Amino acid sequence: MLRTILSKPARRSLPTSVRFPQPLFRARCVSTVANHVIDINGREVSIPTGLFINNEFVPAIGGNTFAVEDPATGKEVIQIQEGREEDVDVAVKVARKTFESEVWANSNPAWRGELLNKLADLMQRDSEELVAIEMLDTGKTYAQASTLDVPGSIGTLRYYGGWADKVLGLTSFNIPKTFAYTRREPIGVCGQIIPWNFPLMMFIWKIAPALATGNTVVIKSAEATPLSALKVCELIKEAGFPAGTVNLVSGYGKTVGNAIANHMDVDKVAFTGSTTTGRMILKSSAQSNLKKVTLELGGKSPNIIFPDADIEKAVEWSAWGINMNFGQTCHAGTRIYVHEDIYDEFLAAYTKRMASIKVGDNFAADTQQGPQNSRMQFDKILGYIEIGKKEGATVHLGGKVAKTGKEGGYYIEPTIFTDVKPEMKIMKEEIFGPVVAISKFSDEAEVLALANDTTYGLAAAVHTKDYERALRMTNGLKAGTAWVNMYNFVHWSIPFGGYKESGIGRECGEAALENYTETKAVYFNMGLPAPR
């Protein structure tokens, strides 16, 4: 849901030259859709507040707005326009008109690629503003937003910009007296719904392959983190994309998301989020126009440490496995299985590493873990910690609200559970926070069974110096991504998605182009007589 280069976590400090202390908010709004100017340590960042439809920021038809809060303080930052069903309908009509015209689907694919690269250039130009917005909106640290989220988004645009004129069909002379070929055509109007944990990256992961293949888009950002998508829409217009190619309707899942999923003139829906909501979207597709659906859903991923692993490196990667985005990652390594021969050694080293993580204000230079994204997520994580205690697991480290010296904000200590059992909720359900459970195993067969004992299948990792073992294990793990001697490394050029209840289809790589094209077979008669 992590959805780019997610490289090994260096213990970084925020460079003083680009430090953004906790921002002071100064709003200078005149009309309901005027840009809101936020002062972040002397840097004035202008953020659009309207719905983005037909290349314009417009007010919601119903005149409603909703608040966006700063997770570091729990205080309101800005009010933006709240779309509803009627706004989705307008956006879909605009997207349909643009798709059916000659300006996009039938345009020169190389030009579409140029536009994607132009957007990447503009994002590069404004990268520090995008970093600041993403930090403010999500609680991310500078280290993550500046080295993962923003550059990963730019890299994704450039990657699909290169694909735009390379979406090819096949030819066949293999059937006597016929010539056949295939065309890969855009599907049409694509509804896209993205999550709050990687709002900028997921926005780009969704729109880039859809636009490269000639589709038009109606997209909903998460209500908790809508700001970076609004800013990028400003750049989409500046880049020169035709009006109606990308339309953003900010709002809630129960209204905007539901309207997209059920709309009879939306040809395809792509969703990243919870498995529960994914089921509802799939059901909506079946009950409406049987629109095509891709789903990138939850995970409860295993991280396996064998006795021949380099323990120091395994500890570092395992810490990154949970601390990337503070556990708010669908492929987080929340179930750690350690061979009994090295269990005590690993646990001691891992505990020391997790205890060293500095939790606090995400704009501070020495912070490694900022706030959880929202009050709802904060309460959910703490609720799971209490469930783990009641089920009999041991809180080996953490398990409490982190003391940061600040008032407000959603800070939780890095938490390790031991003495866990496979049937416990904390071993079965996605917590989406800085909480891991560590368990022992004795042999490959046992740990493979434990690792696959989940309804999910998004990711898994194996730490070992025995590459024959690594191949056996990665072959046996039921997961869409398997890492060897690393964790939480994803790249835009490699497919990403899950087995089982972790989803349908793949994001990233060439595979994502399949999500946004229809294959048409064309036959030419080259002398074949009609049947009698």
Side-chain angles (χ1 to χ4, degrees), residues 300 302 304 335 337 446-454 477 500:
K300 191 69 179 174
I304 304 167
R335 294 185 292 145
Y337 296 101
E446 179 192 12
V447 76
L448 189 60
L450 289 168
N452 289 333
D453 183 22
T454 174
L477 288 163
K500 298 187 279 188

Side-chain angles (χ1 to χ4, degrees), residues 69-71 137-139 196 224-225 328 371-375 377 410:
E69 69 174 12
D70 174 9
D137 207 13
T138 66
W196 51 261
T225 54
Q328 298 169 144
Q372 307 306 131
N373 182 255
S374 66
R375 165 64 67 178
Q377 193 61 26
Y410 309 126

Side-chain angles (χ1 to χ4, degrees), residues 61-77:
I61 292 171
N64 300 297
T65 63
F66 66 95
V68 179
E69 69 174 12
D70 174 9
T73 63
K75 295 180 180 179
E76 181 180 320
V77 174

